[in-house]
């Protein structure tokens, strides 16, 4: 819908549709005038609570959609990342010492170890991601704005030939939004990969590590694990513990590699930056449309 010659209702509809696009894309802070500053002072704390609740719900829905979208890319992720991570962990997977270390962890310490890997990954991402903002545009070229508006509610407006403002006006709220977007996107990708690695080693271990080998390593027969009271043939608790440790190590290795290795960065991280780049250019068109509506 064109914003240059349509009525006020049409302009409002187009802008509202663009704002919904930002919310669905995980960029609610790219929408202007989200807070109702016209409320009496005594009611403003309640408005802030409602706004935080609304943002929390939007974040939850976006996270679910992002998980589903990343799950659809599991085949690509497996083909590109799993061979590297399998080779990374295969050496220690066939060592008795590693299995004994993993088996010595009871359920509580196993969860503590897994949480430690999560904290390490989050610490690395939090320290590294702000550096990526330097690669994002601070000013937008008109041609790039028009290309980014394709298949959005502002597509026709961008093609009308109107002069487009180059400044996307990225304040602290927008930068926080972009940081959370990058952090959650990478966390979801790393989490899905860690589950993939976990199931890979469980299946591979059940096939390749025979009970006789485990008996030799642990000096006693190793029983099968039980899941919800049902025995799982060929899968011992020692195997599950070993798979958890390898999944944590692989997730940490992948999180670092995806941001520092040029080849893996192109495959797994630059796509997320491209999504942010498009949102920034669309915001420039959105702000232009708001000022002229």
């Amino acid at each position: 819908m064109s914003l240059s010659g349509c009525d006020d209702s049409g302009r409002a509809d187009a802008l509202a549709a663009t704002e919904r696009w930002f919310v669905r894309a995980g960029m609610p802070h790219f929408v202007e005038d989200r807070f109702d500053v016209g409320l009496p002072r005594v009611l403003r704390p309640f408005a802030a609570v409602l706004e935080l609740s609304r943002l929390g719900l939007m974040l939850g829905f976006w996270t679910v959609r992002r998980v589903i979208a990343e799950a659809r890319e599991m085949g690509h992720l497996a083909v590109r990342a799993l061979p590297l991570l399998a080779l990374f962990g295969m050496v220690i997977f066939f060592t008795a010492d590693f299995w004994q270390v993993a088996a010595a962890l009871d359920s509580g310490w196993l969860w503590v170890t897994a949480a430690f890997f999560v904290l390490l990954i989050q610490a690395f991402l939090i320290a590294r991601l702000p550096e990526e903002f330097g690669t994002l545009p601070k000013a937008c070229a008109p041609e790039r704005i028009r290309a980014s508006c394709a298949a959005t509610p502002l597509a026709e407006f961008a093609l009308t030939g109107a002069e487009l403002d180059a400044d996307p006006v990225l304040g602290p709220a927008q930068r926080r939004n972009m940081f959370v977007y990058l952090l959650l996107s990478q966390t979801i990708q790393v989490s899905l990969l860690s589950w993939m690695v976990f199931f890979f080693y469980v299946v591979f271990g059940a096939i390749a590590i025979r009970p006789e080998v485990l008996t030799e390593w642990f000096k006693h027969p190793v029983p099968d694990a039980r899941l919800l009271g049902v025995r799982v043939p060929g899968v011992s608790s020692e195997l599950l513990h070993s798979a958890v440790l390898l999944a944590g190590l692989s997730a940490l290795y992948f999180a670092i590699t995806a941001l520092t290795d040029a080849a893996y960065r192109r495959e797994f991280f630059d796509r997320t930056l491209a999504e942010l780049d498009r949102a920034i250019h669309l915001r420039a068109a959105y702000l232009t449309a708001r000022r002229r509506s």
Side-chain angles (χ1 to χ4, degrees):
M1 177 180 298
S2 174
L3 295 180
S4 58
C6 63
D7 56 19
D8 291 341
S9 176
R11 289 193 294 267
D13 290 344
L15 287 171
T18 304
E19 292 170 353
R20 291 193 295 272
W21 187 97
F22 282 129
V23 172
R24 288 194 302 271
M27 298 290 169
H29 285 278
F30 277 36
V31 176
E32 295 293 297
D33 299 332
R34 294 176 301 106
F35 295 96
D36 188 358
V37 296
L39 287 175
R41 183 181 299 274
V42 68
L43 295 179
R44 289 179 187 175
F46 299 99
V49 170
L50 290 175
E51 178 66 14
L52 287 175
S53 300
R54 187 175 71 91
L55 287 174
L57 286 174
M58 289 190 296
L59 180 62
F61 284 121
W62 176 83
T63 301
V64 171
R65 289 196 299 268
R66 188 72 181 189
V67 169
I68 294 173
E70 290 291 345
R72 292 172 180 169
E73 299 291 328
M74 288 289 284
H76 173 75
L77 188 64
V79 169
R80 295 296 299 169
L82 195 56
L84 172 69
L85 297 178
L87 292 175
F88 165 76
M90 200 67 72
V91 176
I92 59 176
F93 185 69
F94 285 109
T95 61
D97 291 341
F98 177 77
W99 281 69
Q100 290 167 358
V101 169
L105 298 172
D106 59 24
S107 297
W109 281 110
L110 185 66
W111 284 111
V112 169
T113 305
F116 178 69
F117 281 120
V118 173
L119 289 176
L120 281 179
I121 292 169
Q122 293 301 304
F124 171 76
L125 292 176
I126 289 172
R128 183 69 173 80
L129 288 178
E131 300 178 15
E132 302 300 330
F133 287 161
T135 64
L136 294 171
K138 298 178 177 61
C140 304
E143 296 78 11
R144 186 67 183 84
I145 294 175
R146 292 186 175 92
S148 297
C149 288
T152 72
L154 291 179
E156 187 175 346
F157 169 72
L159 294 175
T160 57
E163 184 178 352
L164 299 169
D165 295 337
D167 187 3
V169 192
L170 300 176
Q174 288 74 39
R175 293 188 177 277
R176 286 195 299 269
N177 195 160
M178 291 190 294
F179 176 79
V180 172
Y181 182 91
L182 287 175
L183 180 63
L184 285 179
S185 296
Q186 290 304 108
T187 299
I188 290 170
Q189 192 175 75
V190 171
S191 298
L192 290 174
L193 181 80
S194 66
W195 279 106
M196 188 189 309
V197 171
F198 170 76
F199 285 115
F200 169 80
Y201 278 111
V202 168
V203 173
F204 181 73
I207 295 172
I209 308 297
R210 306 312 305 154
E212 296 82 5
V213 176
L214 293 179
T215 301
E216 176 66 23
W217 284 352
F218 290 98
K219 308 305 180 185
H220 61 78
V222 176
D224 293 333
R226 289 185 172 273
L227 182 63
L228 301 177
V230 179
R231 185 176 69 87
V232 184
V235 178
S236 62
S237 60
E238 289 80 2
L239 172 58
L240 294 177
H241 285 209
S242 299
V244 168
L245 290 188
L246 280 172
L249 287 168
S250 299
L252 178 60
Y253 180 70
F254 175 77
I256 296 172
T257 303
L259 289 178
T260 57
D261 182 86
Y264 280 84
R265 181 186 173 91
R266 285 194 301 270
E267 292 287 341
F268 301 113
F269 185 68
D270 285 354
R271 173 169 59 91
T272 305
L273 282 181
E275 293 168 356
L276 274 182
D277 181 89
R278 185 189 185 199
I280 291 172
H281 284 86
L282 181 60
R283 175 172 163 83
Y286 164 74
L287 293 177
T288 303
R290 276 178 57 88
R291 284 190 285 266
R292 300 183 183 181
S293 63

